[in-house]
Amino acid sequence: MQNSEQMKWVLLIASLAMILMSFFVILFIMYYQKRRFEEEKKLNDIEKNYNRLLLDTALNSEETERRRIAQDLHDDIGTMLSLTKLSLNQLNKMISKNGDEKEESIMKKSQSLVEETILHVRRITRDLVPTTLERFGLLEAIEEFIDKLEEDNSLIISFHANTEEFPRQGQKLELTLYRIMQELVNNAIKHASCSKIEIVLETNDRFVSLRVTDNGVGFDPEKIKENNLAGLGLLGIESRLAIVNGTVQYEKPLKGGSSALAQIPVMPLSENKPEPLHPFRRERVNI
Amino acid sequence: MIEIYISFCQKHTFICIAVFITFIPLIVSLFKKTYREASFSSLLIYLITKLVIDLTMFHFASIKQSTVVYYNISIPVYYALIGSMFYHKFETTRYKKWLIWSIGLFTLFSIWDMVYINPEFSNLHEQQLVFYSGTVLSLLMIFWILLYLYEIMLLLKIPNLLNFPFFWVCSGFLLYFSSLVCIAPVLHYAEKWNNPLDIGFVYYVPYIFEIVCAIFISVGLWNFSFESYAKQ
């Protein structure tokens, strides 16, 4: 009888011990898994922030370098060309007095070449540093970009914004959107064989959106993602957007062509005033 | 007949709850269509088989006929079904191979255990519970469950275990087989249909955890969503 009672207790205690052990195993696994996920998340965040910082630094360096080159072009080559033009003008006057037609025609040709070079230098300088963007904002900069493109191409480029007075955004956001717009339009011209490009700029309390649509041959966005076919241009767009927490979606409209929508959350305006047009500052630019 | 059933239920409440509670995970499984996923279809087959065997045993027990033979047969069947469920869940090929081998070997072992202990099938009332199969089943199941939990810990694929249906299923089975592993050897050695062993409340512990297991499985199945499950 006593043995039977003892056996009951032994069994009860052994069973309870096993159940408790199982229970603690379950709790331990839950706790361990949660901790490992938190650690993994922290590591991912650190890596993500580090990559973002790297990208930011790389793009800042690129902008600084562009600015430096533009400044050198404007200050050094631009000045030299202006002086050359002046000297040629003086020389032209001297040659005109001699009345040699051959010399005069060579002089005219040289003068027009110098003038053309000055124009080229100005264009390159403007392309390198979008001064209109810094002074007047995104709307004007895009309009200026379109005007210049339409001069050189037979393309029809339309541009719409959802407000007449597009509010100024942070420097970084404006520059990012401008560069993305440049890249998307250049891609459409280079690869899409399109005749019409539509640019739409919209803003609300939360996002600034830029949509570039063309009527060209189009591409399959899924295929590009699956097969890692994105070129440097598309990767550059994604990198720029990653810094400002933006996103990009590529679509294939039913009517043909392709469409890209970039969205960036609205950022508070920085205290920094826009850079002056000229002379360029020689210091490092932080955008 | 219904009166006999009712009186049996009144006498053995925990045992009867453990039988009828299987309806809950079964209904949840059908409602959530969990059978679309391979491991959960094995679980559904296990639940149906368990319910059929349990109801048969309930019927024979209430009319005072031996159910030992059904219990003995159920052990390898349960192991094969629960094992196949884990077979689909394991991602390591080596574990899968071990599991397949263990199902085959355990089936042979439990047949041997049944024949060795009960050489005469004719006298049902003298039939004994298998000596080792129940305990080995519990130990093997605990081993596979712990191995599976170890695998999910290593793979780190499931962000929130509480939302992961199979974690609930594993936890339920782990608790049930842990409650059975100590009691099974004693019961299976000593108990006969004509000479039941009196171990008091301890006798009901596995049944209580069978109920807990069914509740855990139901919670897991309720969390099941085929679309999100396919991603995990």
Side-chain angles (χ1 to χ4, degrees), chain A residues 166 177 200-204 207-211 261-264:
Chain A
F166 200 81
L177 276 172
V200 180
L201 189 67
E202 285 176 346
T203 184
N204 57 36
F207 291 102
V208 182
S209 318
L210 171 83
R211 186 185 283 279
L261 172 70
Q263 277 190 311
I264 302 176

Side-chain angles (χ1 to χ4, degrees), chain B residues 50-61:
Chain B
K50 185 181 178 303
L51 188 68
V52 170
I53 294 174
D54 281 358
L55 286 174
T56 313
M57 285 167 75
F58 169 78
H59 169 73
F60 285 114

Side-chain angles (χ1 to χ4, degrees), chain A residues 162-219:
Chain A
N162 69 337
T163 49
E164 286 272 316
E165 288 286 315
F166 200 81
R168 288 304 299 263
Q169 308 292 331
Q171 264 181 286
K172 189 184 270 186
L173 191 146
E174 283 187 338
L175 189 64
T176 304
L177 276 172
Y178 183 76
R179 293 283 184 222
I180 289 170
M181 183 274 303
Q182 267 185 322
E183 184 61 44
L184 289 171
V185 171
N186 285 337
N187 276 351
I189 296 167
K190 266 194 243 168
H191 309 295
S193 326
C194 58
S195 60
K196 203 175 161 189
I197 296 173
E198 190 186 17
I199 303 168
V200 180
L201 189 67
E202 285 176 346
T203 184
N204 57 36
D205 298 340
R206 293 172 58 218
F207 291 102
V208 182
S209 318
L210 171 83
R211 186 185 283 279
V212 177
T213 313
D214 65 64
N215 65 345
V217 288
F219 64 92

Side-chain angles (χ1 to χ4, degrees), chain A residues 4 7-8 11-12 14-15 18-19 22 25-26 29-30 32-33 36-37 40, chain B residues 146 149 152-153 156 158-159 162 167 171 178-179 181-183 186 199 202 209:
Chain A
S4 169
M7 196 175 72
K8 274 183 206 174
L11 275 178
L12 189 67
S15 300
M18 275 305 293
I19 290 159
S22 304
V25 165
I26 294 164
I29 288 164
M30 280 166 70
Y32 181 81
Q33 185 91 345
R36 275 198 66 186
F37 260 99
E40 200 82 359
Chain B
L146 291 179
L149 292 175
I152 57 171
M153 257 167 57
L156 212 69
I158 298 125
L162 290 176
F167 178 70
S171 303
S178 301
S179 72
V181 76
C182 294
I183 297 166
V186 180
I199 50 169
V202 181
F209 279 92

Side-chain angles (χ1 to χ4, degrees), chain A:
Chain A
M1 187 68 189
Q2 203 187 346
N3 277 347
S4 169
E5 273 301 307
Q6 272 179 346
M7 196 175 72
K8 274 183 206 174
W9 279 107
V10 168
L11 275 178
L12 189 67
I13 290 164
S15 300
L16 284 177
M18 275 305 293
I19 290 159
L20 273 175
M21 262 172 61
S22 304
F23 193 69
F24 282 121
V25 165
I26 294 164
L27 286 181
F28 168 76
I29 288 164
M30 280 166 70
Y31 169 76
Y32 181 81
Q33 185 91 345
K34 200 182 163 191
R35 234 184 76 175
R36 275 198 66 186
F37 260 99
E38 278 170 2
E39 279 169 8
E40 200 82 359
K41 200 175 165 264
K42 270 184 201 166
L43 266 175
N44 277 344
D45 285 347
I46 291 168
E47 206 181 316
K48 212 173 152 186
N49 281 339
Y50 178 71
N51 284 339
R52 216 164 116 171
L53 200 73
L54 272 180
L55 271 174
D56 202 11
T57 313
L59 289 175
N60 273 343
S61 308
E62 189 190 313
E63 286 302 326
T64 313
E65 195 57 20
R66 277 168 178 262
R67 200 166 280 271
R68 193 189 62 76
I69 294 167
Q71 190 175 345
D72 284 351
L73 277 175
H74 178 265
D75 292 357
D76 301 343
I77 297 172
T79 314
M80 277 186 212
L81 283 168
S82 299
L83 287 172
T84 314
K85 192 183 163 187
L86 274 173
S87 304
L88 284 173
N89 283 346
Q90 282 174 350
L91 199 63
N92 187 33
K93 278 176 193 166
M94 287 161 73
I95 288 169
S96 305
K97 279 175 192 170
N98 293 342
D100 191 333
E101 276 183 19
K102 200 179 174 188
E103 280 177 351
E104 255 182 72
S105 87
I106 293 169
M107 183 52 65
K108 285 256 162 26
K109 204 176 174 186
S110 306
Q111 275 179 315
S112 75
L113 274 172
V114 169
E115 269 167 23
E116 210 176 311
T117 314
I118 289 171
L119 285 175
H120 276 291
V121 168
R122 270 190 204 150
R123 185 182 53 77
I124 293 167
T125 311
R126 266 198 226 114
D127 283 351
L128 283 169
V129 179
T131 43
T132 313
L133 175 76
E134 291 168 354
R135 286 291 294 272
F136 305 107
L138 205 51
L139 220 64
E140 283 73 12
I142 295 175
E143 273 166 0
E144 190 193 64
F145 177 77
I146 291 168
D147 287 343
K148 268 191 273 170
L149 264 182
E150 279 179 330
E151 275 172 25
D152 305 334
N153 292 290
S154 56
L155 274 171
I156 303 166
I157 305 175
S158 58
F159 173 51
H160 315 282
N162 69 337
T163 49
E164 286 272 316
E165 288 286 315
F166 200 81
R168 288 304 299 263
Q169 308 292 331
Q171 264 181 286
K172 189 184 270 186
L173 191 146
E174 283 187 338
L175 189 64
T176 304
L177 276 172
Y178 183 76
R179 293 283 184 222
I180 289 170
M181 183 274 303
Q182 267 185 322
E183 184 61 44
L184 289 171
V185 171
N186 285 337
N187 276 351
I189 296 167
K190 266 194 243 168
H191 309 295
S193 326
C194 58
S195 60
K196 203 175 161 189
I197 296 173
E198 190 186 17
I199 303 168
V200 180
L201 189 67
E202 285 176 346
T203 184
N204 57 36
D205 298 340
R206 293 172 58 218
F207 291 102
V208 182
S209 318
L210 171 83
R211 186 185 283 279
V212 177
T213 313
D214 65 64
N215 65 345
V217 288
F219 64 92
D220 191 347
E222 289 304 314
K223 253 187 190 172
I224 283 191
K225 263 186 197 173
E226 278 169 21
N227 304 328
N228 286 331
L229 293 173
L232 281 176
L234 295 186
L235 289 176
I237 290 173
E238 283 182 8
S239 306
R240 282 184 186 279
L241 285 168
I243 295 165
V244 287
N245 291 324
T247 54
V248 65
Q249 282 176 301
Y250 300 103
E251 290 157 18
K252 206 177 172 183
L254 287 173
K255 56 184 179 181
S258 63
S259 173
L261 172 70
Q263 277 190 311
I264 302 176
V266 172
M267 284 188 266
L269 275 171
S270 67
E271 295 287 309
N272 295 349
K273 282 181 183 174
E275 295 284 311
L277 269 174
H278 297 293
F280 295 107
R281 282 185 199 158
R282 279 198 179 268
E283 66 204 40
R284 185 186 153 81
V285 183
N286 282 315
I287 47 170

